[in-house]
Amino acid sequence: MTRTSAHTRLGGSSSYLKKIMRKLVVGKIVHSIPGTNGGFTVSRLPSQISMYELVTAVEGEIQSYRPTGIIDNVFADIHSYVKDGNKIISQVFDEADEKWVAALKQHSVNELLLNLLHVSQVPKIDWNESISSPEDFRQQLLDNLKIV
């Protein structure tokens, strides 16, 4: 059996996957294990990792709107009327960001996986085992699932 690399399975480049994994390590979502037989392990139970932690580990702090000065430029001729344009727009996006953060904090990775897989318990999978095809991976996943 030949092993399919993680980046191939995910449909991305090896360098991109390494960057994402590094961000997850820095965000304390996963542990990196060095060495020939090294790899990555989840640092905490999926029920202890919020979707907010996952998003901010990969994307950074949530800030939908970053003032660039374009509002001032667009309305330069009538600046006295729109002097608070950036402030008004920032307030709207800040409010939206707060609601998004609150929603992400309410959901765990575990909850997402349970709902996604329609299972009662998140299966444990050894990604180091030889998996030669998507069908083999599917079978390994099914063998470890406890269907609801």
Side-chain angles (χ1 to χ4, degrees):
M1 272 192 187
T2 59
R3 258 175 79 179
T4 303
S5 62
H7 70 89
T8 301
R9 187 177 303 139
L10 294 172
S13 71
S14 174
S15 61
Y16 180 70
L17 181 59
K18 288 176 186 174
K19 288 177 186 176
I20 296 298
M21 293 307 294
R22 175 74 182 133
K23 288 180 179 186
L24 292 173
V25 169
V26 170
K28 298 182 177 158
I29 304 295
V30 298
H31 288 297
S32 174
I33 302 166
T36 307
N37 294 320
F40 297 94
T41 61
V42 179
S43 63
R44 292 173 273 151
L45 294 172
S47 60
Q48 297 172 337
I49 303 169
S50 73
M51 291 304 298
Y52 172 74
E53 290 177 277
L54 191 62
V55 169
T56 56
V58 175
E59 300 293 332
E61 285 300 318
I62 295 171
Q63 186 179 10
S64 301
Y65 176 73
R66 299 179 197 277
T68 60
I70 196 167
I71 299 297
D72 296 329
N73 293 340
V74 169
F75 298 104
D77 296 340
I78 55 171
H79 185 65
S80 61
Y81 292 107
V82 292
K83 64 182 175 187
D84 293 329
N86 279 320
K87 180 179 176 186
I88 292 167
I89 291 171
S90 290
Q91 287 173 338
V92 169
F93 280 93
D94 289 348
E95 181 182 332
D97 289 346
E98 288 171 13
K99 289 178 181 178
W100 188 31
V101 165
L104 290 173
K105 285 181 176 181
Q106 290 178 358
H107 301 282
S108 70
V109 170
N110 191 69
E111 176 188 346
L112 180 79
L113 291 170
L114 293 176
N115 290 328
L116 177 70
L117 298 171
H118 303 286
V119 295
S120 60
Q121 183 178 343
V122 176
K124 292 181 180 175
I125 296 189
D126 183 352
W127 293 86
N128 291 317
E129 287 183 16
S130 292
I131 300 173
S132 61
S133 68
E135 293 79 24
D136 288 343
F137 173 72
R138 181 178 174 276
Q139 189 58 52
Q140 181 184 357
L141 182 63
L142 289 173
D143 291 344
N144 288 294
L145 288 177
K146 292 184 171 100
I147 306 296
V148 176

